[in-house]
Amino acid sequence: MGTISIALSKGRILGETLPLLARVGASPMQDAEGSRKLILATARRGLRLIVVRASDVPTYVANGAAELGIAGGDVLAEHGGAGLYQPVDLGIARCRMVVAARRGFDYASAVRQGARLRIATKYLNLAREHFAAKGVHVDLIKLYGSMELAPLLGLADAIVDLVSSGKTLRANKLAAVEEIRPVSARLIVNQAALKTRRAELQPLIEAFARAAQGRAGNSTARK
Ligand code: PRT
Ligand code: MG
């Protein structure tokens, strides 16, 4: 039995994953949030954590650099999910993906009038799909963060971003004008590894599914 790696990001994904790791007996052997290490041993023999950028998690897992990963539904949808199974909705890091605009910008009537909208986002694929499905013409502007600034500075008419408490939008005089999808984090698995190492991976996937169900009673295990 070789080593199994779980790729995940620091920040809220790691924070909300720690209780699940404890439930599957795979807590990190050292303070994961404080440590600068990018590879962390866990209490479960042969299982380690790999700390990467949130948007890089699907890439590590799809390419087999890590067998498992934990990634937000936003990141997975933007990546496209090729080469990945998504067997467990972990029900953590919940938020909503929305279109948001300055208070006072009449988004609905701009859409009705067929205006061409400038949309700032880090989710180019998701935004393109969303507006194409609605038949709205957009110019997409790729940003890597702080999307909320773009409408304030006249860089964009609206943004596509995540909202959880709504405080960031409010603090920047923005409002959600359209819901795109609810988002939560999922356990992902390299498809080839699941075939060749099923005996090792399947029990772990089931352990995560049970841990997630025990959490809030609102997770689903599929595949
Ligand atoms: O590495 P990088 O900086 O790109 O990512 P990160 O540090 O944000 O990664 P991490 O590990 O913290 O996890 C990000 C993942 O958490 C996302 O992919 C989502 O699936 C999930 N998530 C849940 C969120 C939020 N809620 C969220 N509110 N990710 C980001 N936000 C941001 C949002 O973009 C906005 O700027 O928080 C702000 C809004 O929060 P509220 O509470 O003010 O509404
Ligand atoms: Mg960050």
Side-chain angles (χ1 to χ4, degrees):
M1 305 233 295
T3 303
I4 292 174
S5 301
I6 305 182
L8 44 59
S9 55
K10 278 206 174 170
R12 70 192 93 211
I13 295 280
L14 176 61
E16 295 193 37
T17 300
L18 286 173
L20 297 178
L21 289 170
R23 283 169 173 267
V24 309
S27 291
M29 297 299 277
Q30 61 203 116
D31 168 27
E33 281 159 319
S35 171
R36 302 285 166 101
K37 284 197 175 176
L38 300 177
I39 301 181
L40 297 163
T42 74
R44 193 159 169 144
R45 208 154 57 87
L47 185 67
R48 63 183 188 175
L49 307 182
I50 308 292
V51 178
V52 303
R53 239 358 239 277
S55 43
D56 291 336
V57 170
T59 306
Y60 276 84
V61 179
N63 289 289
E67 289 73 24
L68 301 173
I70 296 175
D74 52 324
V75 164
L76 289 167
E78 182 68 16
H79 171 271
L84 300 172
Y85 284 125
Q86 303 183 19
V88 186
D89 183 343
L90 296 170
I92 59 172
R94 286 178 181 281
C95 56
R96 300 173 293 131
M97 180 167 292
V98 302
V99 181
R102 281 176 84 147
R103 281 188 227 136
F105 178 78
D106 193 343
Y107 173 78
S109 86
V111 166
R112 264 198 312 277
Q113 287 161 24
R116 191 171 186 95
L117 298 177
R118 292 165 307 149
I119 306 290
T121 187
K122 65 176 176 185
Y123 303 103
L124 287 187
N125 295 331
L126 278 168
R128 191 182 300 113
E129 275 168 34
H130 173 72
F131 292 108
K134 285 181 53 106
V136 176
H137 294 286
V138 293
D139 292 315
L140 297 176
I141 301 165
K142 167 81 180 183
L143 292 178
Y144 292 87
S146 301
M147 268 77 81
E148 293 87 357
L149 268 175
L152 303 183
L153 298 182
L155 177 63
D157 301 308
I159 61 175
V160 168
D161 195 12
L162 304 175
V163 182
S164 43
S165 70
K167 280 184 193 156
T168 307
L169 289 184
R170 269 200 301 285
N172 292 292
K173 297 184 164 40
L174 303 175
V177 292
E178 196 162 75
E179 185 94 20
I180 299 182
R181 59 162 76 200
V183 167
S184 57
R186 307 194 194 139
L187 181 71
I188 59 174
V189 187
N190 175 275
Q191 285 183 352
L194 188 57
K195 293 199 182 92
T196 56
R197 300 178 69 184
R198 185 180 280 275
E200 294 162 84
L201 292 173
Q202 194 61 38
L204 258 176
I205 294 168
E206 282 162 18
F208 271 102
R210 279 194 304 274
Q213 254 145 26
R215 240 193 90 259
N218 54 6
S219 299
T220 51
R222 40 191 176 78
K223 155 77 226 319

